[in-house]
Structure formats: structure tokens, C-alpha cells
Amino acid sequence: MNQEITDPKGMLKTVLLQEEALQFERFSAEDGWKLGLLLREHLLRHSGDAAADVTAYGVQCFRCTVGAATPNNARWIRRKMAMVMENGKSSLRTMLEMHLSGRTLTEFGLNAEDFALSGGCFPIRLRGQGVVGMVTVSGLPQTHDHQTAADAVAAYLSVAAPSILG
């Protein structure tokens, strides 16, 4: 487990609250573009080197880099997105649940080449329907990747949600 996570149980509780609060009634490609622009603004304020993506219904609605992102960020985005689509929950939540259960990716039939056990990909969930896409950040520490994505969704929805960063 990453050193920046000192209380996985407490963090998991916060992530569960975020996922419950940050659900959409509907989501379109236009929403994806606007959410992406908002996500980019959040990254610019953070002043980090990162890449961001918004994908919905299997279509990339938005992708950008801020600062000195690298091709490695694109690989992390792909692997984090695969984790959300596989499990229907944020990649950080999956990582925390696996850590707390003592199980590994391979015990779930997943491999590290295709799936990232790391925070930074937040589901786009339609209330009562399930996950239709995801908001992904790569390049910051995993908790900051996750929180940046969650903050952008919260701002887009005009909803208050707790932060894992305190």
C-alpha cells in the first residue's frame, strides 16, 4: 500500500460517501466535454504534471495534459479505466478493498499489465442505472489523482462531497 494512505478503513468510508453523493441523473457527450474542461481547470490550479480523461459509453469525450505529462500517464489512465469498468467503482475504492481483504489482483483473475491497483479513476454513475463512464487523472499522487477527479465531478454537479485529503 502506498505510504500516503495511513488509514485505509477511514479513507474507504469517505470514498463510499463520495460515490453515493456524486451520481448523475443523465450524462451526454456534451456533459463529458464540459466536465473535462472543469477537470482541466482543477489540474491547472493544482500545478501538477498530469493527464486527464473523461470517457462515457465507450467514447472518449475529453483528454488533456497539464504540465509535463508523459506517455506513461496514458498507460496508467488505460489501466485505471479498466479497473473501474471491471468493478463498477472507483479505482481507489477497489485498491482499498483489495488491501483490506488481503487479496491481490491475480487472486481476482486480473493482471497488472491491464489493470492498475491505484487511485485516480472515478466512475460516472447514473442514479439507478450504473456506471456509464469514468473521469481519470494520472500523474499526481494517487490520492490527489482521485480527489481531483471527485472534486471536478462534485463541482460539475454542484454537490458537496467529503474529501479524502482531509
Side-chain angles (χ1 to χ4, degrees):
M1 166 105 44
N2 194 304
Q3 291 180 349
E4 65 189 282
I5 299 174
T6 57
D7 178 15
K9 286 182 183 178
M11 187 174 286
L12 179 58
K13 287 179 185 177
T14 302
V15 171
L16 289 168
L17 291 171
Q18 289 175 334
E19 289 187 25
E20 178 60 32
L22 301 176
Q23 296 186 46
F24 293 80
E25 296 300 324
R26 66 191 72 69
F27 197 86
S28 68
E30 182 70 15
D31 291 315
W33 176 255
K34 290 177 181 175
L35 176 57
L37 292 172
L38 187 60
L39 178 62
R40 180 179 181 274
E41 292 302 317
H42 280 257
L43 284 170
L44 287 170
R45 282 195 299 277
H46 196 283
S47 301
D49 298 329
D53 180 280
V54 178
T55 295
Y57 307 103
V59 176
Q60 185 178 71
C61 301
F62 182 91
R63 183 169 279 194
C64 76
T65 60
V66 173
T70 70
N72 192 40
N73 296 126
R75 289 188 290 275
W76 276 96
I77 286 173
R78 177 186 55 79
R79 293 170 53 231
K80 290 177 185 187
M81 288 171 56
M83 186 62 80
V84 171
M85 289 311 297
E86 178 73 20
N87 294 294
K89 48 190 150 184
S90 70
S91 58
L92 182 62
R93 177 177 164 191
T94 300
M95 187 274 298
L96 291 166
E97 289 174 346
M98 281 192 184
H99 170 74
L100 291 168
S101 74
R103 297 179 69 193
T104 65
L105 276 175
T106 54
E107 290 175 300
F108 283 93
L110 306 175
N111 65 63
E113 185 176 309
D114 295 322
F115 297 90
L117 202 52
S118 178
C121 190
F122 197 88
I124 296 170
R125 183 182 316 278
L126 296 185
R127 194 170 305 282
Q129 296 181 39
V131 175
V132 298
M134 65 282 305
V135 179
T136 313
V137 176
S138 174
L140 307 173
Q142 68 173 327
T143 52
H144 289 78
D145 282 351
H146 171 90
Q147 194 59 51
T148 301
D151 285 347
V153 172
Y156 190 76
L157 292 171
S158 299
V159 172
S163 173
I164 62 167
L165 300 178

